[in-house]
Amino acid sequence: MESPSFQPTFLQRFFIKIFHFINRYVPWHRLPGFLGALNLDFLRIELRAYNLHDGYSSGYAQGNTVDHPLEDERFINARNSDGKFNSVELPLMGCSGMRFGRNFPRKYTQKPNKDELWTPNPRLVSERFMARTPRGFIPATSLNLLAAAWIQFQIHDWFQHESSEEIHNIPLPSGDTWPHGRMILQRTKPDETLDESDIQCPGYKNQNTAWWDASQIYGSSEATTQSLRTKDQNGKLSLSQNGTVTFLPRDNTGNPQTGFNDNWWTGMEMLHTLFAMEHNAICDMLRTAYPDWTGDQIFDKARLVNCALMAKIHTVEWTPAILAHPALEIGMNANWWGIAGETLWKMVGRISKTSETISGIPGSGVNHFGVPYSLTEEFVSVYRMHPLIPDEIAFFSATDGRHKSTIPIVDTIFSGAKRPFDQGISFADSFYSFGINYPGAITNNNYPDFMRNLSTPDGQHRDLGTADILRDRERGVPRYNQFRRLLRMSPPETFEELTGGNKELAQELREVYGDIELVDTLVGSHSEPVPKGFGFSDTAFRIFILMASRRLKSDRFIAGQWDTNTYTKEGFHWLQNTGMKDVLLRHFPELEVHLRNSKNVFAPWEKLPESVGCKG
């Protein structure tokens, strides 16, 4: 076993060993809720010790206070759009343009040789394990389509690789009907070689900031942020009006003006608009409380509140929806409020100054666990969730529930994102419709057809199933069995063991891969049985549970300066007492009838009688 990045305490090591013993006989997800949550807490500690690794060979890459002094005191209590100075000591950490890190030692994540890159053929893998079969769309009936849109909305905040001018010329299997008989894909651009180790394990830069700072709305540079703000001193983001409806403004090419507008579709139009409106509502509240403040002061505080609110929604609402397990509901609420709970936190504040277990991660103190903060290539890998997207969206009236239209998703992407609204669908209608439509299950053979035959505005034509497999391979993400070994999980010895006894799937895997050691992590994760209530695999979940808390624990505006001085008394109250339901009802009060009994906005909403029985 590799040396740990940080050393857990004696008591923590003791409980890690206890749960290792228990898990030989009973996996964590079969333990009673609270005991399962405790198991996860110590699993996370172990993951922090062994599964955080820097993308650089030297910590000097993260900058220092001499070469990068904090000259503008504004950013002591405000986010810099490029991510700089989130850590004052390591000012470049998490910035746009910094490398992705790793969850495994770099000697296990080296670039593949030619045979490793193309074996088995990634297009063949896509054809056999991504394409929707004659049985068609496989729904995830415990979620709604808003949950699918939400995770893409968040991913656009977290990561974006640089593309190279060089291309992959992907060999096509015999008889493949891909247009023109040639499939190409731009390679991921490697960072410059800074150390000899970069030759075998290249680093790759993140064009977005790695912080949970809503860069998908505000941008990953100060110049972008300034261009998105109104010209007066109200601190707001620019929005346009079409009658009584608010939309994101467009540039002269028709692209929405927002922090990140790639991979655009109606779901992004909805959520970007919603949280731009939320930002502006926070500005109005702050302007009332602080009438003498400048536009920058209003903007900075509103952004802090809006960012933290999104992190909170993702932690205590989206995650328990897609991972609907009692231990996870306890664990994710504890991530934010601690095991002391929300009620006690709101009554008396933190009862433990530093314990994230007792009083939650926000305000518990920043800790990077021995490794400079970054998002990781393996984190990117486990968030490949294209099966969530259905083939079409059925739109209904939020007022009377009647079916208005059904639009293929392919007609709502890129420049078609506003098509539903141009056809008379209101934003309230769209949110109601997303609330009662199902997303796809994250499993084999559930990629939408259009994603495997996608023409993009930059002139490329691609199969995202092939791209997903190839991206993991070229970036050195280990194959499934090695991925599990490096997480200290037992690797399956046979295809039947991998699939939990599904002989038909096991045979398909055997035909394509031959050797179980060659199974790609994405395909293996889609093939393994999942814990009850889970929307994705336990293998992928190990990366999730580590990185979900790391994004909070490394951020000084969440784990550190979690107080009314940073957020204002009014802003702190706003974010701690607001959930996704409150955001929706603040801007679309006509949704109240649909959300009155909702316990989680990302679970299917109650349908109006006129919607019952309709496809959705």
Side-chain angles (χ1 to χ4, degrees), residues 82-134:
D82 63 11
K84 199 172 183 180
F85 304 120
N86 194 307
S87 168
V88 178
E89 296 78 17
L90 300 174
L92 300 184
M93 185 171 66
C95 286
S96 56
M98 295 296 285
R99 287 183 184 180
F100 289 92
R102 291 286 182 177
N103 290 119
F104 307 129
R106 297 178 76 207
K107 68 181 181 181
Y108 297 114
T109 60
Q110 297 186 5
K111 66 179 181 181
N113 60 37
K114 187 175 181 180
D115 285 343
E116 291 167 337
L117 186 65
W118 300 118
T119 306
N121 185 296
R123 169 66 171 174
L124 176 63
V125 172
S126 175
E127 290 279 85
R128 294 290 293 272
F129 299 109
M130 275 69 174
R132 282 186 176 150
T133 63

Side-chain angles (χ1 to χ4, degrees), residues 115-130 444-445 447 465-466 468-470 472-473 477-481 494-495 498-499 504-527:
D115 285 343
E116 291 167 337
L117 186 65
W118 300 118
T119 306
N121 185 296
R123 169 66 171 174
L124 176 63
V125 172
S126 175
E127 290 279 85
R128 294 290 293 272
F129 299 109
M130 275 69 174
N444 286 322
N445 299 115
Y447 274 56
T466 298
D468 282 352
I469 295 298
L470 192 54
D472 278 357
R473 292 183 189 176
V477 174
R479 303 281 178 122
Y480 178 74
N481 267 10
T494 67
F495 291 105
L498 166 56
T499 63
E504 181 180 352
L505 176 56
Q507 182 57 31
E508 287 190 67
L509 291 166
R510 185 177 291 109
E511 290 174 3
V512 173
Y513 285 98
D515 183 352
I516 196 168
E517 293 296 327
L518 295 180
V519 174
D520 292 283
T521 291
L522 182 62
V523 174
S525 295
H526 286 179
S527 300

Side-chain angles (χ1 to χ4, degrees), residues 316-329:
V316 302
E317 297 186 64
W318 183 85
T319 302
I322 200 167
L323 300 172
H325 188 282
L328 256 295
E329 185 172 356

Side-chain angles (χ1 to χ4, degrees), residues 390-442:
D391 297 303
E392 58 189 20
I393 310 172
F395 286 97
F396 302 85
S397 166
T399 304
D400 57 25
R402 63 184 173 83
H403 178 249
K404 296 184 114 177
S405 65
T406 295
I407 304 178
I409 289 266
V410 70
D411 292 338
T412 73
I413 63 176
F414 306 126
S415 61
K418 285 180 65 178
R419 181 171 284 115
F421 310 113
D422 293 339
Q423 295 179 1
I425 305 297
S426 71
F427 268 94
D429 293 339
S430 67
F431 277 108
Y432 170 61
S433 302
F434 272 55
I436 65 174
N437 275 270
Y438 295 134
I442 302 172

